[in-house]
Amino acid sequence: MAAGADSGSSGRARTSVWLEGRPAPKRRGERPTGLDRLDRDRIVAATVRLLDSEGLARFSMRRLAAELGVTAMSVYWYVDTKDDLLELALDAVTGEVELEEDPGADWRDQLRELAVSYRGLLVVHPWVSPLMGEYLNVGPHALAVTGVAQRVLRRSGLAPEQLPGALALIYQFTYGFATIEGRFARRCADAGISQDDFYRQVIGTIEDRPEFDETRDIRESRTGATVEELRTCDFAFALDCVIAGIESLRAPSRRV
Amino acid sequence: MAAGADSGSSGRARTSVWLEGRPAPKRRGERPTGLDRLDRDRIVAATVRLLDSEGLARFSMRRLAAELGVTAMSVYWYVDTKDDLLELALDAVTGEVELEEDPGADWRDQLRELAVSYRGLLVVHPWVSPLMGEYLNVGPHALAVTGVAQRVLRRSGLAPEQLPGALALIYQFTYGFATIEGRFARRCADAGISQDDFYRQVIGTIEDRPEFDETRDIRESRTGATVEELRTCDFAFALDCVIAGIESLRAPSRRV
DNA sequence: ACCTGAACACCGTTCAAGT
DNA sequence: ACCTGAACACCGTTCAAGT
């Protein structure tokens, strides 16, 4: 199976569930015999649960149906394709990002909090990251996140035409950073070793080789910390860089 | 098929071709009857060609074998799994990143050039991005790229313990940015519309909705440019932010 | 040493049929 | 309206067999 991606495996070239006709559940209203009935929400919830526990590669429509105690094809009554279902699951967990807006707070703190929360999402659900790259990511929750980020960033004093670039910087950096982080974690889990052990192992095979001499001072400046701690440090420093950069490039007239 | 990812589809939990025993081709030396023979390099080259032309989702071992005029299973003589093959293809194209090092040049220019070249790789080969997230990316060419980036960054005057965070910032931002870019391009190509048409279409469905009022000034500041131009602008501004941030956070003693 | 064929255990999805 | 069964056209990979 490996790293399949791309869309259009089934021939049709849809762009997004959210941009097509039917973002709402098919029929609702009278269903007195509910309870054990299928349901779009139940399907999406089960999808998220399966993706969390077994990963994207092991997820299949048949596996999902089994989990729901139903035949493989029943799911297709509620969802057009596997892609659409994954897109729904993606937006569902995107709702987990914390979005309390406090217009009185420092925009730097707010931006940091947002980035940290977003990173958390990608690390807790490692399957989110490949799907974000795969789909357009224009579901309601995704739009809410970018909306908040945009408003926070605006308070920094950047000019309107500077905002998209700055937003992309913070957003894509966090995405890329947490992607690697989540993948690495899952790799280690699959291989049955701790992240720290694996890190030490890699360092071990590298230390001898002369081409890595020039980075010895970096490695030595980081001994004694766990991989987790190191990453949190790196992430924080990168955010500091971004914020410092924004502060030095924003329109001088609006300097606070 | 959709967005498969994750490793270990076949059960074994390998971490990387490069970290296992056999990075070099199996046997070489006497092969007088070559020419139409299979060969690891030929296999990887054909893989890259197929991935470029048809995308990751449509790539399969059987499809590859057909392309090579050979039976499906012949490939397995040279390569252990599909994952390994994809990892080899990934590192092969990573070699396309331009890496002329000029210790005399301004580190800012060098960093920009490196990021632009790296972005180019991801946009030209949209299948690279999901694979980078998927694998550990520790092939020789990948290591060469990070090596150069690290040396350039070092000339900025950052302290050793600041380097990993700064490297992650530039690297992951570029990765994330180009990932979205490449995906969007391929989506449009698959749907048979130009990126500009699709952009206009999205804007069209958004303009009316009141929740997008607050970003109207941003959209108005960007009319008349192509999607391509806008993205190049955003990318450049983000890089400026990063560089400005590094300059303001580097150890004062080494200020140039 | 290198390549093939048949087979296994999977996929996503269609379609006609059941209730 | 909702669910099922059988079927189609695929997968990656194993394994015994050919040359």
Side-chain angles (χ1 to χ4, degrees):
Chain A
M1 198 150 322
D6 267 64
S7 69
S9 51
S10 58
R12 17 177 167 170
R14 307 186 64 190
T15 43
S16 165
V17 225
W18 309 108
L19 267 43
E20 309 289 319
R22 193 183 35 74
K26 232 156 195 172
R27 297 226 64 209
R28 213 70 322 185
E30 12 64 47
R31 49 188 225 64
T33 38
L35 238 42
D36 58 337
R37 256 321 207 297
L38 235 44
D39 175 314
R40 206 188 240 213
D41 289 346
R42 275 193 56 206
I43 290 174
V44 172
T47 302
V48 169
R49 210 179 331 119
L50 268 180
L51 288 168
D52 280 341
S53 61
E54 310 194 353
L56 185 52
R58 275 178 278 273
F59 176 82
S60 78
M61 297 299 270
R62 290 168 140 107
R63 181 82 190 71
L64 170 66
E67 184 80 5
L68 289 164
V70 105
T71 219
M73 299 299 92
S74 311
V75 179
Y76 281 95
W77 181 257
Y78 299 92
V79 138
D80 274 3
T81 68
K82 185 187 179 188
D83 283 286
D84 281 6
L85 176 55
L86 290 175
E87 213 174 336
L88 291 168
L90 173 60
D91 198 67
V93 294
T94 304
E96 293 173 11
V97 178
E98 283 160 42
L99 294 179
E100 324 118 37
E101 288 192 69
D102 176 4
D106 192 316
W107 66 269
R108 299 167 196 80
D109 297 335
Q110 293 255 291
L111 201 62
R112 263 186 272 256
E113 274 171 33
L114 208 55
V116 167
S117 176
Y118 189 60
R119 173 187 170 217
L121 168 72
L122 290 162
V123 172
V124 171
H125 309 290
W127 50 274
V128 162
S129 155
L131 295 186
M132 288 211 159
E134 171 73 3
Y135 305 116
L136 289 174
N137 211 20
V138 289
H141 287 121
L143 292 181
V145 173
T146 50
V148 173
Q150 220 145 19
R151 280 191 292 279
V152 170
L153 218 44
R154 210 181 259 277
R155 305 213 318 262
S156 72
L158 285 175
E161 67 273 16
Q162 293 176 314
L163 284 173
L167 185 68
L169 176 56
I170 191 95
Y171 204 79
Q172 307 302 357
F173 159 67
T174 306
Y175 163 72
F177 190 91
T179 295
I180 304 306
E181 205 174 352
R183 276 264 145 262
F184 188 76
R186 182 154 267 279
R187 279 267 147 158
C188 290
D190 284 354
I193 45 174
S194 80
Q195 295 194 45
D196 291 311
D197 283 347
F198 186 65
Y199 179 73
R200 262 188 294 273
Q201 189 180 310
V202 170
I203 295 294
T205 64
I206 264 178
E207 274 295 346
D208 316 327
R209 296 208 251 162
E211 65 263 45
F212 292 99
D213 275 355
E214 51 177 353
T215 52
R216 176 154 297 126
D217 59 336
I218 297 178
R219 288 193 298 282
E220 280 169 358
S221 76
R222 325 182 102 217
T223 49
T226 67
V227 169
E228 171 87 45
E229 287 164 349
L230 288 176
R231 265 203 286 253
T232 300
C233 262
D234 293 344
F235 189 70
F237 179 74
L239 287 185
D240 288 343
C241 262
V242 172
I243 287 169
I246 291 173
E247 284 181 313
S248 96
L249 293 187
R250 68 185 163 188
S253 60
R254 301 182 65 176
R255 226 165 240 270
V256 188
Chain B
M1 197 151 320
D6 267 66
S7 70
S9 51
S10 57
R12 18 180 165 166
R14 309 185 63 190
T15 43
S16 165
V17 223
W18 309 109
L19 266 45
E20 309 288 320
R22 191 183 36 75
K26 231 155 195 172
R27 298 224 66 210
R28 214 71 321 188
E30 12 62 47
R31 50 189 225 62
T33 39
L35 240 39
D36 58 339
R37 257 320 207 295
L38 235 42
D39 175 314
R40 206 189 239 210
D41 289 346
R42 273 193 58 204
I43 290 174
V44 172
T47 302
V48 169
R49 210 179 331 119
L50 268 180
L51 288 169
D52 280 341
S53 60
E54 311 193 353
L56 185 54
R58 276 178 277 273
F59 176 82
S60 78
M61 297 299 269
R62 290 168 139 105
R63 181 80 191 73
L64 169 68
E67 184 79 5
L68 289 165
V70 106
T71 220
M73 298 301 90
S74 311
V75 179
Y76 281 94
W77 182 258
Y78 299 91
V79 139
D80 274 3
T81 68
K82 186 188 178 186
D83 283 286
D84 281 6
L85 176 56
L86 291 175
E87 214 174 335
L88 290 168
L90 173 60
D91 198 67
V93 293
T94 304
E96 292 174 11
V97 178
E98 284 160 42
L99 295 179
E100 324 118 37
E101 287 192 71
D102 176 4
D106 192 319
W107 66 270
R108 300 165 196 84
D109 296 335
Q110 293 253 290
L111 201 63
R112 263 186 272 256
E113 273 171 34
L114 208 54
V116 166
S117 178
Y118 189 61
R119 174 188 170 216
L121 168 73
L122 290 161
V123 172
V124 171
H125 309 289
W127 51 272
V128 162
S129 155
L131 295 187
M132 289 211 157
E134 172 73 4
Y135 306 116
L136 288 175
N137 211 18
V138 289
H141 287 120
L143 292 182
V145 173
T146 51
V148 173
Q150 221 145 17
R151 280 190 292 278
V152 170
L153 219 43
R154 210 180 258 276
R155 305 213 318 260
S156 71
L158 284 175
E161 67 273 17
Q162 293 176 316
L163 284 174
L167 186 67
L169 176 55
I170 190 94
Y171 204 79
Q172 307 302 358
F173 159 67
T174 306
Y175 164 72
F177 191 91
T179 295
I180 304 306
E181 204 175 352
R183 276 265 147 262
F184 188 77
R186 183 156 265 278
R187 278 267 147 157
C188 289
D190 284 354
I193 46 177
S194 80
Q195 294 195 46
D196 291 311
D197 284 348
F198 185 66
Y199 179 74
R200 264 189 293 273
Q201 188 180 311
V202 171
I203 295 292
T205 63
I206 264 178
E207 273 295 346
D208 317 328
R209 297 208 251 163
E211 66 263 43
F212 292 100
D213 276 355
E214 51 176 354
T215 52
R216 176 153 297 125
D217 60 334
I218 296 177
R219 288 194 297 282
E220 279 168 357
S221 76
R222 327 182 101 218
T223 49
T226 66
V227 170
E228 170 87 46
E229 287 164 350
L230 288 176
R231 267 203 285 253
T232 301
C233 263
D234 292 346
F235 189 71
F237 179 75
L239 287 185
D240 288 343
C241 263
V242 172
I243 288 169
I246 291 173
E247 285 182 312
S248 96
L249 293 188
R250 66 184 162 187
S253 61
R254 301 182 66 176
R255 225 166 242 271
V256 187

